[in-house]
Amino acid sequence: MALLLSVLEQGLIYAIMALGVYITYKILDFPDLTVDGSFPMGAALACILIVKGMPPVATLPICFAAGAAVGILTGLIHVKLKVRDLLSGIIMMTALYTVNLRIAGKANLPIYNLPTIFENDLVNGIFTGALSRYKTVIVILILTVAVKYLLDWYLSTKSGFLLRAVGDNDTIVTSLGVDKGLVKIVGLSVANGLVTLSGCIFAQQQRFFDISIGTGTVVIGLASVIIGTSLFRGVTFWRVTTSVVIGSLIYKGCVAAAIRMGLSSSDLKLVTAVLFLIILVLGMDRKKKVKTDADTTADQQTL
Amino acid sequence: MLTLRQISKHYNPGSVNELCLFEGFDLSVAEGEFVAIVGSNGSGKTSLLNIICGSIDTDAGSILVNGQDITRQKDFLRHRRIGRVYQDPSKGTCPSMTILENMSLADNKGRAYGLGRGVNKSRIARYKELLLPLGLGLEDKLHTPVGSLSGGQRQALALLMSTMTPIDFLILDEHTAALDPKTAEIIMELTERIVREKKVTTIMVTHNLRYAVEYGDRLIMMHEGKIILDRSGREKQEMDTDEIMGIFNRISVECGN
């Protein structure tokens, strides 16, 4: 039971991050590595703000805004300075490592006895008695569902339509008289806002910030997105965003199962990587990608 | 009124592969004129369209629209007043979005893409009205992703989308070249109807000499970055495909292909 709760809690928190990765990877077709830096940035910000006495709820919008700003920077590096997508993310990820250390002041910052969005007077007042052990998962569920519906709403607006169009066929965005670079920047901004928000919630659930928690974030995000979208490919009665959330839960479940079968927690990243490889191979998403990459290389050579 | 004045364009300047495409190129297109441009591969037809649309820069010269200089204007800004249909049917539409979503996007061109609803339900009747005369049954497939349509259906939709909002120019870049002969014919008839209805200034590049003779008010033949034939009015009407074929073959033979 405790294991199931922990899978649900972490799966739902990481689902918010996976929704961000869904925007960049699936919609924008931009493999954004910034997330390895923006996820721990949310954790660092949340912990330091709570240590300084800020109400926990206020950390949520602050972290989203900070992440959005980071996304804009990645976008500017890619669009204005014309650095390749992968490299733009690597540059930001590396720079954010230092930024995160500076934000938190040290590599590890616990908030064990301080209030969080799960541990405060309001939440403790609502969830009493037997319910209290479910309060964390309920609060996370509310947050994740709210984020999912907000993202669904955004993708159905005119601005959201442009975002979907730019990943699909960026020529048409130019034809519509819109700067496609600007649309990419907006997409990266929303995506990293979500990733940072996810890191913020994660730190409050774990009750600490650690500089290493960001490592492999992008792999977890991609795995969740690919599990969700390939498993529920033909499903039409719910939206893709729902598939991504479920993908995140399945992924966390797989990792928990692997650990339970006798692997130690220091094996976690290896499990993460191997699982991702298995998912890629089974998901068949790789074939198309590899082929397009090969095609572009061939094109460049002929040029 | 579109004026190209003394346009120069070199590819790979300064290297051994330097290629001079245009040198002091001039062209004027009058308001409401339908111009068909033909020419062999490498004659500069598509480059000319790209220069007009701002997809490629020029080395020298100026581009004027109704007297206003747009030579340094960014491509996306120019496209606010230009409708463009490409050779590749997938370039004019978004494959993962539905017909309705695609048309809604195009319908909003020239206005801000903000946080309002992407699809305006009150416009659906209008979209169906536009799709009905195509005779392709698209009006019943509004919720179908465009990616599952055929090339001809997509191109018809792209043509419709590019002319939904008021534009100064319609640019057609070999827009029938990737279609089978029958579909190409349908698309050409649709083009003719839209151009005449909207009285929009149109520049069409084509490889099909018959289309160039049958459609349009003016015919231009290009060769190695120069206009070698320019006929309009009665002169153009009296031309037939054989004559232009003859001219086309002669220049091709002269340069050895």
Side-chain angles (χ1 to χ4, degrees), chain B residues 19 21 39-45 223-225:
Chain B
L19 176 75
L21 186 57
S40 50
N41 289 327
S43 61
K45 308 178 303 291
H223 185 62
E224 293 176 343

Side-chain angles (χ1 to χ4, degrees), chain B residues 144-156:
Chain B
T144 307
V146 169
S148 59
L149 302 180
S150 71
Q153 288 174 322
R154 281 199 209 182
Q155 200 67 322

Side-chain angles (χ1 to χ4, degrees), chain B residues 53 67 88 98 159 183 192 236 254:
Chain B
C53 293
D88 180 356
T98 64
L159 185 58
T183 316
E192 169 83 359
K236 152 88 167 55
E254 272 169 18

Side-chain angles (χ1 to χ4, degrees), chain B residues 156-224:
Chain B
L157 184 63
L159 185 58
L160 214 56
M161 283 167 61
S162 64
T163 53
M164 273 172 88
T165 48
I167 45 171
D168 292 335
F169 300 104
L170 179 60
I171 304 285
L172 306 169
D173 187 359
E174 296 180 37
H175 70 310
T176 59
L179 308 174
D180 66 68
K182 189 165 168 286
T183 316
E185 206 73 44
I186 295 171
I187 296 291
M188 262 326 291
E189 279 162 22
L190 176 68
T191 307
E192 169 83 359
R193 211 182 64 225
I194 288 176
V195 171
R196 296 304 167 205
E197 253 171 41
K198 307 220 175 222
K199 299 186 175 60
V200 57
T201 313
T202 304
I203 303 173
M204 171 177 79
V205 161
T206 179
H207 272 301
N208 189 319
L209 298 178
R210 188 170 62 79
Y211 289 160
V213 171
E214 276 177 26
Y215 297 93
D217 319 311
R218 182 174 167 191
L219 189 151
I220 288 174
M221 189 184 286
M222 288 181 63
H223 185 62
E224 293 176 343

Side-chain angles (χ1 to χ4, degrees), chain B residues 6-74:
Chain B
Q6 293 294 307
I7 298 287
S8 291
K9 176 72 193 172
H10 298 249
Y11 284 109
N12 309 318
S15 75
V16 280
N17 294 328
E18 177 161 347
L19 176 75
C20 168
L21 186 57
F22 295 117
E23 188 71 72
F25 184 86
D26 288 304
L27 175 71
S28 278
V29 179
E31 184 99 34
E33 203 168 33
F34 182 176
V35 187
I37 302 180
V38 294
S40 50
N41 289 327
S43 61
K45 308 178 303 291
T46 299
S47 294
L48 177 63
L49 296 188
N50 283 334
I51 284 171
I52 295 171
C53 293
S55 310
I56 56 175
D57 285 331
T58 54
D59 301 332
S62 50
I63 307 159
L64 303 160
V65 174
N66 299 328
Q68 189 200 351
D69 192 329
I70 60 157
T71 318
R72 295 283 153 243
Q73 199 176 43
K74 289 249 193 246

